[in-house]
Each structure stands twice: as C-alpha cells, then as structure tokens.
C-alpha cells in the first residue's frame, strides 16, 4: 500500500518525534533524579533503547519488552500488564 | 467519509459518543463482550450483560441511526474461574439466535495461563459447533508476543476453523506478520498510550499489507477515543492517501470480513 502522493516523512513527523524524544529525555532525568533507576521497568526501558540502533526499531523495541518464553503459566495472579517482563534477567 | 467501527464497548460510552460517531460517518458499530473492569459475581451477571448487548444497546444505538452488532463470550480476564466460565459458555447458544450477534468474541488470552487456554479452546469449540465467526483479543504489552503465538497456534490446529473467518485483534509490529502469515485477519487498535497510534497503524498497513486488516478504537471505560478510527483516516489523508484507499481500509475491509456472518447487513 502506497499513498497517491508521497510527502516528506521528516516534514510530516519531525516535530512530533522531537517532542517525544525530549519527553523521553526528561523522563530519564526525572527517574534518575528521584532514585528509581533499579526499577525493573526502567532497566527494561534502558535496554529497549538499544533497539534504536537496529533496522526494525519498533518491532525490536516491542520484542525487548516482551516475555520471550512460550509456555503457559500455571495461573494468572493479576489481570494487568505492566509493560515490561518482570522475570527478564537483570543486567 | 464512511466507516465501520468494528470494535467498541458502547455500553461504557455516552450518547454524545454515538452522536459524534454518526456525525463522523460511522455506518455500523460492533461490540464484543468484554471485562467490565470488575469480576462479575455469577453467571447471572453475564446473562444480564448478554441481554444488554443483544437488546438494550441496539435500541439505544438505533436512536442515533446507527446499526449495532455484538459478539458474545466470557473475557479471558475472567477465565481463571473455570466453573463460572463453563456456566457462562452454556448461556451463549441461546443468545446466538439473536439477529444482531456476529459470533464468538472477544475470546483469547490475557496473562497466558492454563485456565485461560482451557476457556479459549471451549470458545473455539463453541464457534466451530455453531459455525460462528471468531474475534480474538490478544494480551497486552509484555504478554502480547507470547499470547498471540499461542492463540494462532491453537486455532490454526483446529481443522474445523477457517482462518479467514477469524480476526485476531490488537496486533502490533511484532505480531502482525505471525497473524497474517497464518491466514487470519488482523485488527489494529488505536489507543492513546498502549497498542497503536494512527501513524504506527498506517506503518503496519504499509509494511504488512492492507488486504486483511482493519482499524478499531476499542473504546471502553478506560483511556480511549471513540473517534480514533476517523482520526486515523485523517492521518492517512495527511500522508497522501486517496479516498478509495481510505474507503477500503475503513469501510470495505470490515464489511468484507463481517459479511461472512449473515446477520451483518447494511442498508
């Protein structure tokens, strides 16, 4: 699927992406300033940033946050997802 | 423009949302059964909910000129109680006789547990025995990759189910290919925080093909936007897409899938 008229992607999305990037930078400053760097979600977040150096960045960021196992768990102990796999080995 | 909202939990929305959707060009809304945000205490709670989905909500929607259809199931978030799930599944065949029911959904997995899989398999069997379409919910966030794979594999292994009659919802960049390659339809859900933004959903269409994909708002009682589907159409226009492509993605694609159910009729 391709558009009839191809627009400049940077022109379309740069300002939005720039704002999101600054928000990420501010989030990291805030977490580090407040001393929550050992939270597994923040560690997963920092790990996911490495996927930005790959080709399929969105897919690889999502995979970085994902449970990599394939087996059913015995029972659900919560209904909610937290956005990062808690059992990922900490680096 | 004209569009179908193929996944919206309207029982949680206001009449203002119906007005806004119809004004934006919505021609039909489809409502899967879902988790209320709290666990229902008995099968009677589901009986009342199924009455709401098949009777009250279509009447409420009709006041705004919007055809309302529904899907029936017990959501995987309530699947840990197998006895309750069995009681609820036993209620469903009677409701399938209603002429606004599209099929079984949204079934699936939430935390990828054994009980959830047990209940998923019972729902799939119910659909097969009653020749029903299936709408599948895939897990959230860190559980999505694993859950999507488990769901695709178990449904694919049931020879009674035609993958072209199953839509696997909430696909993202890391799950879309697995779903599409297995022959299923895929749903892109537009949420402000989790799931997809409009821009990412369009990227997925460009990368994985637009033949068997639809977009939905999945608006419910949480943070969600009932007009996210027409907003995504606007994003496609901004990216240079023409009216015919937009009509195919937002109207003809969902109509093609949903028309496999004889109950789905548009005037």
């Amino acid at each position: 699927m391709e558009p009839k008229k191809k627009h400049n992607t940077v022109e379309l999305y740069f300002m939005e992406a720039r704002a999101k990037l600054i928000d990420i930078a501010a989030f990291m400053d805030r977490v580090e300033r407040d001393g929550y760097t050992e939270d597994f979600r923040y560690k997963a977040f920092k790990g996911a940033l490495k996927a930005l150096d790959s080709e399929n960045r969105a897919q690889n960021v999502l995979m970085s946050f994902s449970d990599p196992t394939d087996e059913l768990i015995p029972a659900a102990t919560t209904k909610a997802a937290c956005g990062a796999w808690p059992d990922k080995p900490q680096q | 423009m004209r569009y179908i909202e193929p996944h919206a939990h309207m029982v949680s929305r206001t009449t203002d949302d119906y007005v806004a959707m119809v004004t934006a060009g919505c021609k039909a809304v489809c409502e899967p059964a879902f988790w209320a945000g709290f666990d229902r205490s008995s099968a009677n709670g589901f009986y009342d909910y199924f009455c709401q989905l098949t009777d009250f909500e279509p009447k409420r929607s009709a006041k705004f000129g919007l055809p309302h259809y529904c899907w029936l199931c017990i959501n995987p978030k309530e699947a840990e109680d197998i006895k309750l799930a069995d009681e609820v599944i036993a209620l469903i065949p009677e409701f399938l006789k209603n002429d606004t029911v599209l099929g079984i959904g949204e079934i699936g997995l939430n935390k990828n547990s054994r009980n959830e899989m047990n209940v998923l398999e019972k729902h799939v069997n119910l659909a097969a025995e009653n020749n029903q379409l299936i709408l599948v919910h895939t897990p959230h966030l860190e559980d999505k990759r694993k859950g999507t794979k488990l769901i695709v594999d178990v449904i694919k292994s049931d020879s009674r189910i035609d993958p072209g009659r199953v839509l696997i919802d909430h696909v993202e960049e890391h799950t879309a290919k697995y779903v599409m390659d297995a022959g299923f339809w895929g749903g892109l859900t537009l949420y402000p925080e989790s799931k997809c933004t409009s821009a990412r959903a369009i990227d997925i269409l460009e990368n994985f093909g637009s033949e068997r994909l639809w977009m939905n708002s999945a608006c419910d009682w949480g943070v969600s936007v009932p007009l996210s589907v027409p907003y995504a159409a606007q994003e496609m226009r901004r990216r240079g897409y023409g009216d015919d492509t937009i009509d195919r993605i937002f109207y003809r694609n969902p109509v093609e899938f949903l028309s496999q159910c004889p109950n789905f009729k548009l005037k």
Side-chain angles (χ1 to χ4, degrees):
Chain A
M1 189 180 83
E2 286 186 6
K4 272 186 181 174
K5 182 182 175 189
K6 184 86 176 166
H7 292 293
N8 181 327
T9 306
V10 178
E11 183 71 27
L12 277 179
Y13 291 110
F14 174 74
M15 289 304 288
E16 180 185 336
R18 179 183 184 277
K20 288 178 177 175
L21 182 59
I22 295 167
D23 258 346
I24 288 171
F27 163 70
M28 295 177 72
D29 286 345
R30 200 177 308 132
V31 169
E32 296 191 8
R33 190 170 63 242
D34 294 344
Y36 290 103
T37 54
E38 293 306 304
D39 188 299
F40 76 93
R41 291 167 295 185
Y42 187 65
K43 288 185 172 180
F45 189 92
K46 288 187 75 173
L49 292 176
K50 294 173 188 162
L52 298 180
D53 282 331
S54 62
E55 282 190 358
N56 297 315
R57 295 173 186 83
Q59 180 176 334
N60 290 335
V61 166
L62 286 161
M63 290 296 281
S64 171
F65 284 121
S66 295
D67 175 354
T69 67
D70 288 323
E71 297 76 35
L72 293 166
I73 63 171
T77 55
T78 175
K79 296 186 195 299
C82 62
W85 188 49
D87 297 328
K88 188 170 186 172
Q90 303 289 303
Q91 296 174 344
Chain B
M1 71 171 289
R2 58 180 183 171
Y3 75 98
I4 306 295
E5 173 51 89
H7 186 147
H9 301 290
M10 298 308 293
V11 300
S12 301
R13 309 302 308 191
T14 67
T15 53
D16 284 354
D17 295 327
Y18 274 125
V19 171
M21 290 164 69
V22 171
T23 304
C26 189
K27 302 300 180 191
V29 61
C30 308
E31 176 153 5
F34 84 141
W35 185 55
F38 59 91
D39 287 351
R40 295 172 180 91
S41 60
S42 72
N44 288 336
F46 282 89
Y47 180 89
D48 293 342
Y49 178 45
F50 294 159
C51 288
Q52 184 180 19
L53 287 175
T54 57
D55 183 31
F56 177 76
E57 202 60 34
K59 288 175 181 166
R60 195 167 79 103
S61 180
K63 289 179 182 171
F64 304 92
L66 188 60
H68 178 283
Y69 298 91
C70 70
W71 302 78
L72 301 174
C73 75
I74 176 170
N75 189 277
K77 283 193 174 77
E78 288 170 293
E80 283 303 320
D81 185 341
I82 294 287
K83 181 173 175 292
L84 174 67
D86 286 343
E87 290 171 4
V88 174
I89 290 171
L91 293 173
I92 294 174
E94 185 65 22
F95 284 93
L96 293 178
K97 296 171 186 168
N98 193 290
D99 62 6
T100 58
V101 176
L102 296 170
I104 305 300
E106 54 182 313
I107 59 174
L109 299 173
N110 183 51
K111 298 302 291 182
N112 304 322
S113 76
R114 291 174 191 161
N115 285 340
E116 290 173 12
M117 180 58 81
N118 178 326
V119 173
L120 169 61
E121 288 172 335
K122 287 175 179 169
H123 277 116
V124 172
N125 183 59
L126 179 68
E129 287 182 344
N130 291 277
N131 193 31
Q132 295 290 311
L133 297 182
I134 294 175
L135 178 65
V136 180
H137 163 93
T138 52
H140 303 275
L141 306 176
E142 73 273 17
D143 301 312
K144 185 179 294 294
R145 183 213 67 85
K146 173 178 172 177
T148 303
K149 186 173 185 303
L150 289 165
I151 290 164
V152 165
D153 293 350
V154 76
I155 299 180
K156 189 82 179 169
S157 70
D158 190 326
S159 60
R160 300 171 299 170
I161 303 294
D162 171 3
R165 288 170 52 82
V166 179
L167 187 132
I168 298 188
D169 216 339
H170 319 317
V171 301
E172 293 182 53
E173 289 86 343
H174 59 324
T175 57
K177 188 173 189 308
Y178 200 73
V179 168
M180 307 305 289
D181 284 353
F184 296 102
W185 281 70
L188 296 160
T189 299
L190 305 159
Y191 266 9
E193 290 174 350
S194 60
K195 302 188 172 70
C196 274
T197 60
S198 293
R200 281 178 53 210
I202 300 165
D203 291 340
I204 291 171
L205 291 173
E206 291 175 345
N207 289 329
F208 298 104
S210 56
E211 298 301 312
R212 282 179 285 115
L213 285 167
W214 74 27
M215 291 194 207
N216 59 63
S217 76
C219 59
D220 58 13
W221 43 260
V223 177
S224 49
V225 181
L227 290 184
S228 62
V229 171
Y231 290 167
Q234 177 59 21
E235 183 64 24
M236 284 188 71
R237 280 188 202 95
R238 201 166 76 99
R239 216 185 266 199
Y241 286 95
D243 288 343
D244 185 66
T245 304
I246 289 169
D247 189 67
R248 178 161 59 80
I249 299 299
F250 296 97
Y251 186 81
R252 300 199 306 268
N253 270 9
V255 167
E256 181 183 340
F257 177 80
L258 295 166
S259 294
Q260 295 181 94
C261 172
N263 286 341
F264 187 78
K265 299 183 184 89
L266 290 176
K267 289 177 185 170

